[in-house]
Amino acid sequence: MLAVHGGNTEEIARKYNLNSKEILDFSANINPVGLNENVKAAMINAIDKVVKYPDITYFDLKNSIGEFEKLDISNITLGNGAAEVIFNIVRALKPRKALLPAPTFSEYEEAIISVNGEIEYYKLKESNDFNLDDEFINKIKDDIDIIFICNPNNPTGCLTKKEFIRKVLNKALTTNTTVVIDESFLDFVKPNELYLSNDLLIDYKNLIIVKSLTKFFAIPGARIGYGLCSNNEIINEINKVIVPWSVNVIASEAIIQGLKEKDYIDKSIVYVKNEKEYLYSALKEIDSLKVFEPSVNFIMFKLLIDLDLKSELIKRRILIRSCDNYIGLSNSFYRVAVRTREENNKLISEIKNILFDK
Ligand SMILES: Cc1ncc(COP(=O)(O)O)c(C=O)c1O
């Protein structure tokens, strides 16, 4: 069974006999500013390169990422999306037991299961708005080989401070545990110095950071992501399991260009911040919703009445993410992406129509 994710508009269109282009997709968390024009041009230009294999060392791409992250290229591992990087890490390290907060992004669990690893879940508490707390650190024991922390967490939006991560890393050093921090959405937060783990990399050889490039640059169909680690042994183990040429030339050229687009990057951060606040305030005004404070381009809420909101919205050609398959949540929880003002207004008015009709 494949894990359930947002963004499956084709599958939903087939199920409900709709045209996928008619569906307004709030289920995948993609930068609402959309594809940058220069990135698009770079991808179109890259078409001529498909007759050759990508540079197997990805020298130019790694240099662009290295410059962006202010890190040596030997610390970078690439993948066909952050999802592949997560699987590469797990296949390389073959953890026997993992500690995962719940709810969180499901591919950590999928990756651990793929190597027959055992999982201990740390249930985040709704009473604490699903934030990580010190009790989590007490769960790091000698038998835990790997920990994943999603920062900010998908789907809750909770941010974890770097100082908490430092405490996790210190405890993990005593138990020989590798700590993976997934910062796939952290570039949407500015300033983010309080949360970024990047400058812990040199001191902590048990730290791996994972980042997706598909959310921010609005290229989920092109697939590209990376991992960062200063421990040569871990990078070497990952290199042993990497599928050669797994990043295609089109995605690679898109990112080499994208990381240069400072105006687009700054504009996206401001746009997402404003629309997130707008959508959050509007949703909070609806009595039957309990809305959790968002940090980036998605918002989780709990529906306080008994209703299948996802099915009701799909009748109106709007797709949202039901959180029913997240461990630690139930079918009362939903996640919506932050989109453009017009689209956000459409979502708000359709939710109100449905709930006020009840
Ligand atoms: C927290 C998190 N990490 C990683 C990924 C995978 O991203 P990619 O498209 O780069 O594989 C996702 C996708 O939803 C995600 O939410």
Side-chain angles (χ1 to χ4, degrees):
M1 269 279 279
L2 285 173
V4 176
H5 288 289
N8 53 342
T9 47
E10 296 299 332
E11 191 188 350
I12 294 287
R14 279 193 298 276
K15 184 169 168 196
Y16 291 92
N17 207 11
L18 300 170
N19 177 344
S20 66
K21 292 202 184 84
E22 292 170 42
I23 299 175
L24 194 46
D25 184 13
F26 278 88
S27 72
N29 308 316
I30 305 304
N31 184 347
V33 174
L35 184 58
N36 171 266
E37 279 306 317
N38 295 336
V39 169
K40 185 173 178 180
M43 293 170 97
I44 292 168
N45 286 337
I47 284 283
D48 288 334
K49 296 194 178 175
V50 300
V51 293
K52 284 173 59 181
Y53 279 90
D55 167 11
I56 200 162
T57 68
Y58 293 99
F59 185 75
D60 292 340
L61 175 60
K62 284 192 173 175
N63 267 312
S64 299
I65 295 171
E67 214 174 286
F68 182 73
E69 295 284 352
K70 306 204 172 23
L71 277 176
D72 190 81
I73 64 170
S74 61
N75 301 144
I76 301 169
T77 176
L78 298 169
N80 193 261
E84 187 177 82
V85 179
I86 293 163
F87 271 78
N88 285 344
I89 293 167
V90 170
R91 280 199 207 112
L93 303 182
K94 296 182 200 65
R96 279 154 305 171
K97 189 166 174 190
L99 175 64
L100 300 182
T104 196
F105 182 54
S106 61
E107 291 302 326
Y108 317 136
E109 176 188 33
E110 298 293 324
I112 308 287
I113 292 171
S114 79
V115 296
N116 297 319
E118 191 190 328
I119 300 170
E120 181 177 326
Y121 295 98
Y122 179 74
K123 293 266 174 72
L124 299 166
K125 301 166 199 73
E126 186 178 346
S127 56
N128 189 24
D129 288 336
F130 297 103
N131 281 294
L132 268 175
D133 49 34
D134 283 340
E135 237 180 283
F136 178 75
I137 297 173
N138 298 334
K139 301 285 175 195
I140 308 170
K141 304 257 167 70
D142 287 335
D143 61 342
I144 302 290
D145 293 329
I146 199 165
I147 296 170
F148 281 86
I149 296 177
C150 189
N151 193 21
N153 194 16
N154 175 3
T156 62
C158 291
L159 281 162
T160 301
K161 291 213 173 104
K162 181 166 78 181
E163 286 322 307
F164 184 87
I165 289 167
R166 193 194 294 275
K167 284 200 267 177
V168 170
L169 286 163
N170 282 333
K171 178 74 188 287
L173 280 178
T174 68
T175 55
N176 211 7
T177 305
T178 303
V179 179
V180 184
I181 309 291
D182 184 342
E183 296 185 352
S184 287
F185 291 97
L186 202 46
D187 286 334
F188 283 109
V189 182
K190 278 283 146 63
N192 58 9
E193 288 71 21
L194 271 181
Y195 310 104
L196 273 184
S197 295
N198 189 305
D199 63 3
L200 300 174
L201 275 169
I202 301 302
D203 289 342
Y204 290 92
K205 301 293 172 198
N206 59 340
L207 169 64
I208 307 176
I209 297 174
V210 172
K211 287 177 87 167
S212 170
L213 289 161
T214 69
K215 324 278 180 199
F216 198 97
F217 291 99
I219 52 167
R223 318 298 309 125
I224 181 164
Y226 60 94
L228 303 170
C229 180
S230 70
N231 183 332
N232 290 339
E233 272 174 48
I234 292 183
I235 291 280
N236 288 342
E237 287 308 309
I238 295 174
N239 283 341
K240 286 187 201 160
V241 301
I242 274 183
V243 174
W245 311 291
S246 80
V247 176
N248 66 72
V249 284
I250 295 173
S252 175
E253 295 290 328
I255 291 309
I256 291 171
Q257 185 61 40
L259 293 175
K260 291 182 197 152
E261 298 295 332
K262 301 285 178 242
D263 287 350
Y264 167 83
I265 292 175
D266 292 345
K267 181 182 165 195
S268 299
I269 292 163
V270 173
Y271 191 92
V272 164
K273 182 172 187 288
N274 291 340
E275 281 314 306
K276 171 198 75 180
E277 278 161 16
Y278 178 77
L279 184 56
Y280 177 48
S281 321
L283 291 171
K284 265 201 311 189
E285 276 171 18
I286 304 173
D287 279 348
S288 35
L289 302 184
K290 173 181 175 188
V291 190
F292 294 86
E293 192 180 345
S295 56
V296 284
N297 59 329
F298 54 85
I299 303 179
M300 184 174 84
F301 61 82
K302 184 180 185 182
L303 184 60
L304 304 173
I305 57 169
D306 188 19
L307 175 84
D308 183 348
L309 186 62
K310 179 179 168 181
S311 299
E312 290 300 324
L313 280 167
I314 204 69
K315 289 182 197 156
R316 292 158 166 87
R317 312 267 188 282
I318 293 178
L319 179 61
I320 65 169
R321 174 75 158 93
S322 162
C323 295
D324 57 351
N325 70 323
Y326 279 97
I327 291 171
L329 296 181
S330 68
N331 60 3
S332 313
F333 289 84
Y334 296 90
R335 191 195 67 204
V336 292
V338 171
R339 298 192 48 132
T340 63
R341 177 61 56 96
E342 195 189 337
E343 293 164 338
N344 294 334
N345 280 336
K346 170 97 175 129
L347 175 73
I348 296 160
S349 78
E350 292 296 5
I351 292 182
K352 283 183 177 166
N353 288 340
I354 293 166
L355 297 180
F356 295 169
D357 274 357
K358 281 276 120 198

